Amino acid sequence: MCVLLKNSSDVSHRATGPLTSCTSEANSRYSNMNEAVNSLWPLTLANSSLLGDILLLTFTCLAIWISGTWIYNFYLHPLREFPGPKFAAMTDLWKAHVELVQRRGIVEKLFELHSVYGDIVRIGPNELHFANPTAYDDIYNTNNRWTKEKYMYMVFGEPGANYSSFTTRDYATAKKRKDVLTPLFSRRAIIELQSLVQEKMTTLCDIIAVRSKEGLKSNLEQGFKCFSLDTITSFCFARSMNALRSPNFDSTTIHAMKAALPLLILFKHFPVLHWVVFAIPNWVNALLNPTLKGYQDLGKIIEDQIDEILFNPSILLENSEHPTIYHALISCKVSNPTSKSSDNRNDLSQPLSKKELLAEAWALIYAGTDTVANTLTMGCFYILDPSNVDIYDKLKTELLDAWPTFDEGVPSPTYEELEKLPYLKAVIKESLRFSHGIIWPMNRYVPSNGAMISGVYVPGGTVVGISNAMVNLNETLYPNPLVFKPERWLGGGISDNESNKMTVADVVSFGRGPRSCLGINLAYCDLYIAFANFFRRFHQVEISKGAGLKEMIWKESFTYNYFGPPFEVIATPSER
């Protein structure tokens, strides 16, 4: 054994002894080991030049691939003749730059582009957007069965899966699911359950009345959100969220749903973030963003109900006062989330999974909450503006004639009766025209054989779409489109020439064609009852300062959503 001697005399005395031979042997072994490590591990600092060469080669190949792709997209792609921003023609990052760097709505930008480039604009290497309303029926008409575009619809729900009828991209599979739910949302079914809608609206008006009597303002925008959330959850699940009972309608669930919407923009452009967010446990997400807790609370309620039903399906008959979506879906056998395909499996013999039931529930909640509440909020902004006092007076007069008294025992007008009021109907149509429903273009893939859209041939495989706003704000169809004018629906301001008849029949806020909104009948019932009750039950409504038309701030995140100052009111109840 070699021993390190502390005594220098010992060292000098034994310099030619065993220590010398041991040290030499050790140095030799260390040298051999170092050479072995270098030969087996080429990416060490000793070979940093090789690492640099590999990185340089990697970045060079990447640069060549990107440059080649951009050159192809710009000069050789089948869409090269269509006009649009050069950056957009080369890469989809153009849209990410608009929404995330410039912080602008993509539809807002599209209006600018169409004013420069015309009716058809290339907004991606393989994407066209249209402005002419005739393109709407070309893309979304009843006979078309075009597949939904992947990158827009994949942002909803769990990443990598298309579990709901809304997110399922191929028409055939989605139709089977939609056909199961259609009877629940039929006009007859809605009429039978309209008392549920009336109950929620009465609650909203009563709370506003009590607060106003105490001199307290009420947040009307949040109140409408709570009304529509309680309505859709009661209708679909026979379990209300009771958001209306939150102090000043300050529901944590409403806040969470609103906070989650901007995430769709991030998920759309950077799908990896979608996977990351869903991989993080709920309790961690709640710590990172406490606002999302209300979203998780609602999810827990829905999930517990689904677990209860899956464990004991007979509970549907025992505990539900009326049919729910689960009465229809629990026996539905149309898809399987274990599929390796982009949508669903081909084996249709198994019932829907828990994930599919959850996805369908969330799709209905968002659709039934945002679109209705946004329409009510938008309409009230315009009707209550001092410059539109004539609209307010006309609506009040019509409602007073149809609903002359609040005497106890006298029922409120039914949905069917309210539908017959022409000015109320015109107000609702105009409110829908301004709120748009889904504002993002609902993109589709053109079939492989191509298609004629707005009189122009578009190659197969192209992503195409047109925002509802392009139709609803078209100045040819609606002269002075930025003016809130219910009279235009009474024959006083809508173009009725032959080429535009497809739009005159109705606004497109609920979509068109085979993938149009499933809940249109419920939405109209909500709107008629809500507008009628609010403007009949209150004699005078005063908007708080700083919440008028000039201060309105609406932002795009799939739907239009209000992010302006609190839309607060004090309302004086009608005496009769």
Side-chain angles (χ1 to χ4, degrees):
M1 177 181 293
C2 298
V3 180
L4 180 62
L5 301 178
K6 297 180 181 179
N7 190 291
S8 60
S9 60
D10 289 342
V11 173
S12 60
H13 178 73
R14 300 176 184 178
T16 58
L19 182 59
T20 303
S21 60
C22 182
T23 303
S24 299
E25 182 179 355
N27 289 338
S28 176
R29 290 178 179 176
Y30 176 79
S31 176
N32 292 337
M33 181 178 66
N34 192 42
E35 292 177 3
V37 169
N38 287 339
S39 64
L40 293 174
W41 190 254
L43 298 182
T44 59
L45 290 177
N47 288 280
S48 58
S49 61
L50 178 58
L51 176 60
D53 290 343
I54 293 176
L55 291 176
L56 178 61
L57 179 62
T58 300
F59 284 117
T60 301
C61 292
L62 183 61
I64 292 174
W65 178 77
I66 293 175
S67 300
T69 300
W70 286 8
I71 291 172
Y72 170 80
N73 289 340
F74 194 75
Y75 292 105
L76 303 175
H77 196 280
L79 301 184
R80 62 186 179 276
E81 299 299 330
F82 289 94
K86 294 181 180 179
F87 188 22
M90 292 187 289
T91 173
D92 284 317
L93 290 175
W94 173 81
K95 286 177 286 186
H97 182 266
V98 171
E99 294 188 292
L100 300 176
V101 179
Q102 296 182 357
R103 296 181 179 274
R104 300 186 61 188
I106 191 65
V107 177
E108 174 192 356
K109 183 67 175 180
L110 288 173
F111 272 99
E112 290 184 7
L113 295 181
H114 284 294
S115 68
V116 175
Y117 296 105
D119 286 343
I120 306 175
V121 178
R122 186 183 182 189
I123 61 171
N126 192 45
E127 182 176 351
L128 298 177
H129 186 270
F130 296 78
N132 193 321
T134 59
Y136 203 93
D137 268 1
D138 290 337
I139 298 172
Y140 309 112
N141 72 66
T142 304
N143 296 322
N144 282 348
R145 304 289 185 264
W146 296 0
T147 301
K148 290 184 173 182
E149 188 239 347
K150 176 180 180 180
Y151 294 100
M152 173 181 168
Y153 291 92
M154 72 178 183
V155 303
F156 302 95
E158 186 173 337
N162 297 294
Y163 291 144
S164 74
S165 55
F166 174 72
T167 58
T168 298
R169 296 190 296 119
D170 72 282
Y171 168 76
T173 305
K175 183 179 185 301
K176 294 174 183 177
R177 181 85 62 82
K178 191 173 181 180
D179 286 348
V180 171
L181 290 171
T182 295
L184 184 69
F185 291 92
S186 68
R187 177 176 170 81
R188 174 180 294 181
I190 300 303
I191 289 175
E192 290 178 355
L193 288 176
Q194 63 178 291
S195 60
L196 185 153
V197 180
Q198 181 62 59
E199 174 193 339
K200 302 304 179 187
M201 195 60 205
T202 299
T203 300
L204 173 64
C205 292
D206 288 347
I207 293 173
I208 293 176
V210 170
R211 289 180 59 83
S212 296
K213 187 176 181 180
E214 297 173 352
L216 299 175
K217 300 175 182 177
S218 297
N219 190 317
L220 194 57
E221 183 253 342
Q222 289 187 178
F224 285 144
K225 285 279 180 78
C226 291
F227 156 73
S228 55
L229 175 62
D230 284 355
T231 300
I232 193 66
T233 53
S234 296
F235 185 85
C236 289
F237 319 122
R239 292 187 182 182
S240 173
M241 277 299 296
N242 291 320
L244 283 166
R245 298 299 180 182
S246 304
N248 195 19
F249 313 122
D250 198 25
S251 165
T252 57
T253 303
I254 293 299
H255 284 302
M257 291 174 67
K258 196 169 185 177
L261 283 172
L263 293 176
L264 300 180
I265 299 174
L266 281 173
F267 294 164
K268 180 174 63 172
H269 298 299
F270 302 104
V272 66
L273 293 178
H274 194 189
W275 290 91
V276 170
V277 169
F278 269 76
I280 298 175
N282 284 340
W283 66 270
V284 176
N285 277 321
L287 287 176
L288 296 175
N289 190 350
T291 308
L292 296 178
K293 184 180 183 303
Y295 184 93
Q296 294 166 0
D297 291 342
L298 175 56
K300 183 68 165 55
I301 292 173
I302 298 171
E303 188 172 355
D304 287 347
Q305 185 182 24
I306 291 174
D307 286 338
E308 188 178 24
I309 292 169
L310 291 177
F311 179 75
N312 181 20
S314 64
I315 203 170
L316 287 171
L317 299 176
E318 298 170 2
N319 293 352
S320 298
E321 297 178 358
H322 58 80
T324 68
I325 62 168
Y326 302 123
H327 285 81
L329 292 175
I330 201 68
S331 59
C332 178
K333 300 178 181 181
V334 298
S335 60
N336 183 352
T338 61
S339 170
K340 295 182 180 179
S341 67
S342 60
D343 281 319
N344 303 93
R345 65 181 167 99
N346 294 321
D347 179 12
L348 307 181
S349 61
Q350 298 299 317
L352 298 187
S353 69
K354 177 180 175 179
K355 288 185 176 181
E356 289 175 302
L357 293 172
L358 273 171
E360 205 69 67
W362 274 115
L364 291 169
I365 287 171
Y366 264 105
T369 301
D370 278 351
T371 52
V372 168
N374 290 343
T375 303
L376 291 170
T377 302
M378 184 72 79
C380 285
F381 261 118
Y382 282 96
I383 298 167
L384 295 174
D385 188 79
S387 65
N388 290 326
V389 66
D390 57 326
I391 297 176
Y392 179 84
D393 289 342
K394 289 178 182 178
L395 181 59
K396 287 286 292 184
T397 299
E398 184 177 72
L399 290 172
L400 282 168
D401 290 341
W403 190 354
T405 181
F406 290 140
D407 290 345
E408 188 175 350
V410 177
S412 305
T414 64
Y415 169 40
E416 306 95 288
E417 292 170 332
L418 293 173
E419 280 185 308
K420 297 175 183 177
L421 302 181
Y423 202 75
L424 175 60
K425 177 180 288 188
V427 164
I428 290 173
K429 296 288 189 184
E430 193 72 342
S431 299
L432 283 166
R433 190 177 70 84
F434 272 77
S435 57
H436 306 306
I438 296 173
I439 193 168
W440 283 357
M442 294 171 283
N443 290 338
R444 302 287 190 266
Y445 288 109
V446 174
S448 58
N449 59 342
M452 295 295 295
I453 302 177
S454 196
V456 176
Y457 175 78
V458 178
T462 304
V463 176
V464 294
I466 174 172
S467 169
N468 288 344
M470 292 289 166
V471 178
N472 289 339
L473 300 179
N474 182 275
E475 61 183 8
T476 301
L477 295 173
Y478 309 104
N480 298 316
L482 299 181
V483 175
F484 190 88
K485 185 180 179 182
E487 287 76 12
R488 72 173 78 246
W489 297 99
L490 301 173
I494 298 179
S495 172
D496 60 358
N497 62 65
E498 189 67 29
S499 63
N500 292 325
K501 281 187 177 178
M502 71 94 179
T503 308
V504 174
D506 206 348
V507 289
V508 297
S509 301
F510 293 106
R512 289 282 179 85
R515 305 296 293 268
S516 60
C517 178
L518 173 68
I520 184 171
N521 291 313
L522 177 59
Y524 269 120
C525 181
D526 288 349
L527 293 173
Y528 274 97
I529 290 177
F531 271 119
N533 275 262
F534 183 76
F535 286 102
R536 176 61 185 89
R537 289 178 180 271
F538 295 110
H539 172 66
Q540 183 178 359
V541 182
E542 179 183 347
I543 303 177
S544 61
K545 293 182 179 180
L549 287 179
K550 295 181 180 178
E551 292 78 24
M552 280 202 308
I553 300 175
W554 294 81
K555 294 184 179 180
E556 304 171 20
S557 46
F558 188 64
T559 57
Y560 238 11
N561 273 275
Y562 181 69
F563 284 88
F567 185 24
E568 295 179 324
V569 301
I570 289 184
T572 304
S574 298
E575 296 180 357
R576 63 177 180 89

